[in-house]
Amino acid sequence: MGGYAVTLLLIAGATLAGLLIAPRWGSGPVALLYIPPVLVAATTCGLGPALATAIVSTLGYNFYFTEPYGTFIINSPADIVTVAVLFLVAAVTSRLAASLREQSRRADANAARNATIAGLARRLLSCTGEQDIADVAVRELARLFGSHAVLLTGREVPRIAAAASAGIALSPSELAAAALTLETGEPSGRGVDRVHLADWQFHPVASDHAVLAAIGLAREDGVPPVPEDKRQLLDNLLDQIALALERARLEGEAREVAALRERDRLRSALLTSIGEDVKPRLNAIAAAARALRRAEGGDKGLVATVATETTHLDRYIDGLVDLSPGATQEPLAIGSLSIDFHRRTVRREGDEVHLTPKEYAVLAELAKHTGRVLTHAHLLRSVWGPAQQNNIDYLRVAVRALRQKLERDPARPELIINEPAVGYRLVAP
């Protein structure tokens, strides 16, 4: 009613001004005095008061400034046209001004909504984990909607992960409503079509793939916490919370992967250290045991036990080194040669090379220690077993076959290099 009272005052002012100037300049210019009240009413009070101003202005002009004066009767056709044009101009002007006012109001509302969304996103961005995100989300939603707020997780048995107020407990019917939202991804509870018995209203926090959580809102006065005009704002805020939770989940997985990689790196380094530091000492012990076995005197049984246990330890260490992360998964490239330990295949310049099991075993053992010299005994023991570690001819035949299949010029080997009286090593040409 305040808007209509303001418009009447404006019209009264315009009429008074018209009565002052009409005796001197006539009633023609008076019609223009009624346009400003219409504009003011439209821009400040809305479309209804503006249209009322247009009608009352037209009647006032007719009553005071058209003959016969003091009546709503019009005798002159020119006055009829003037009154009609005044009404049309006032009506169109009021409609346009009211439309601009509504657009301005909507723009302000959108700006306020965007500022609210950006504020929540900024606060969520500073959170370091899912629990921090949940705490910030419920506090902000409780403040924005003037209600209690909780965040629940767990599809089968919902649990409160965060609450804006301490001591909040949900009844079985409310937990059932929350479970329904978590399962279906649809709102439920008070003011929603589903589960009217719940005092809380639950909304899903969902990503593109799954429902991550449910937000519960409730007012102490029992009124539905989210009016229709704020439903879009709530949906936008829930999208921001879902993005933050998804980001936290992905960051957590990335940290776990990084930890696993670091653990595998340390494990690989440890296994490499075992292979490089312990193996030579075991070889020395084995050599000492063989020397003692050939020497006269001494306890032959004890020497045999030492030799046997040394062989067992050597096998165990070889097995550990073979378990090094990635050692048997990614193909090993050495020049034009590619060795896939996982598929047990060998390729030379892209073409698969057929190797016998013993040939492949010799090449794989050399490849696992690329650049290092492996003794004849080591290769024989690894491929043919401890009982054959002195049969060097077996190894020479296998190496000769490998050179025939892998080297560009077997007579001048570039891959498998012989170390006279010691063993062989695999190098990149």
Side-chain angles (χ1 to χ4, degrees):
M1 295 301 293
Y4 291 97
V6 171
T7 59
L8 291 177
L9 290 175
L10 293 173
I11 293 171
T15 302
L16 181 60
L19 291 174
L20 293 175
I21 68 172
R24 184 172 182 179
W25 290 300
S27 60
V30 176
L32 299 177
L33 297 176
Y34 288 99
I35 299 301
V38 175
L39 292 175
V40 172
T43 54
T44 59
C45 302
L47 181 59
L51 290 176
T53 304
I55 295 172
V56 175
S57 297
T58 303
L59 294 176
Y61 180 80
N62 180 20
F63 188 83
Y64 288 104
F65 302 103
T66 61
E67 296 180 353
Y69 301 111
T71 68
F72 293 107
I73 300 172
I74 304 175
N75 292 333
S76 172
D79 289 340
I80 294 175
V81 172
T82 301
V83 171
V85 171
L86 174 62
F87 176 75
L88 290 175
V89 170
V92 171
T93 303
S94 65
R95 185 68 183 88
L96 291 176
S99 177
L100 291 175
R101 180 175 181 271
E102 180 63 19
Q103 291 179 9
S104 177
R105 187 192 65 79
R106 291 180 179 177
D108 292 341
N110 289 334
R113 185 178 70 232
N114 293 337
T116 301
I117 296 170
L120 177 63
R122 185 170 58 253
R123 291 178 179 86
L124 293 176
L125 191 61
S126 63
C127 297
T128 57
E130 294 185 10
Q131 186 60 51
D132 290 342
I133 292 171
D135 293 336
V136 170
V138 295
R139 286 199 304 269
E140 289 299 309
L141 291 177
R143 181 181 64 83
L144 292 171
F145 293 96
S147 63
H148 297 295
V150 294
L151 185 143
L152 299 98
T153 57
R155 179 166 298 180
E156 296 182 358
V157 183
R159 66 176 185 84
I160 297 177
S165 304
I168 291 180
L170 300 180
S171 66
S173 61
E174 290 161 351
L175 290 175
L180 181 63
T181 295
L182 288 167
E183 181 178 357
T184 64
E186 298 292 335
S188 63
R190 179 176 290 275
V192 184
D193 291 339
R194 299 184 177 190
V195 192
H196 293 283
L197 296 178
D199 291 331
W200 288 71
Q201 189 178 102
F202 297 96
H203 297 269
V205 180
S207 65
D208 293 337
H209 310 291
V211 178
L212 306 177
I215 286 290
L217 300 170
R219 291 173 58 95
E220 293 183 355
D221 54 10
V223 175
V226 184
E228 263 323 300
D229 60 342
K230 291 189 176 181
R231 184 61 61 88
Q232 185 177 3
L233 172 61
L234 176 63
D235 292 339
N236 296 142
L237 296 175
L238 294 179
D239 289 340
Q240 293 298 321
I241 297 171
L243 287 174
L245 289 174
E246 190 73 7
R247 171 180 57 80
R249 183 184 65 82
L250 293 176
E251 288 177 351
E253 292 179 356
R255 285 193 295 269
E256 290 179 1
V257 170
L260 288 174
R261 287 179 177 175
E262 180 64 16
R263 188 181 67 184
D264 288 343
R265 187 187 67 80
L266 293 175
R267 179 168 171 251
S268 178
L270 178 61
L271 292 175
T272 301
S273 175
I274 290 175
E276 293 179 353
D277 298 337
V278 178
K279 286 276 291 182
R281 290 165 175 77
L282 283 177
N283 293 336
I285 294 174
R290 289 194 298 271
L292 289 173
R293 184 181 296 173
R294 290 192 296 268
E296 295 183 0
D299 190 338
K300 299 295 184 180
L302 180 59
V303 172
T305 301
V306 171
T308 301
E309 295 302 324
T310 302
T311 301
H312 289 167
L313 284 175
D314 190 65
R315 280 177 152 182
Y316 294 151
I317 291 175
D318 286 343
L320 285 174
V321 173
D322 288 343
L323 291 176
S324 176
T328 59
Q329 296 297 324
E330 296 297 330
L332 175 66
I334 303 175
S336 62
L337 194 65
S338 175
I339 306 172
D340 191 333
F341 296 104
H342 183 58
R343 295 179 176 83
R344 296 179 65 85
T345 59
V346 178
R347 293 182 179 274
R348 180 175 176 268
E349 296 180 348
D351 298 326
E352 186 170 352
V353 179
H354 175 71
L355 300 179
T356 66
K358 295 299 183 184
E359 293 168 356
Y360 174 82
V362 171
L363 179 63
E365 187 66 21
L366 288 170
K368 292 174 185 176
H369 306 86
T370 303
R372 292 177 53 193
V373 177
L374 300 185
T375 64
H376 298 139
H378 174 94
L379 291 170
L380 287 165
R381 187 168 58 251
S382 300
V383 178
W384 284 271
Q388 307 297 333
Q389 64 182 6
N390 294 320
N391 293 325
I392 300 179
D393 289 340
Y394 291 172
L395 180 60
R396 288 172 178 167
V397 171
V399 169
R400 186 181 305 115
L402 285 172
R403 287 172 171 168
Q404 291 290 335
K405 295 177 180 180
L406 302 178
E407 299 280 3
R408 291 189 177 89
D409 184 0
R412 296 181 178 84
E414 298 176 343
L415 286 172
I416 304 176
I417 307 300
N418 179 38
E419 296 293 337
V422 179
Y424 298 93
R425 62 189 174 94
L426 184 69
V427 297

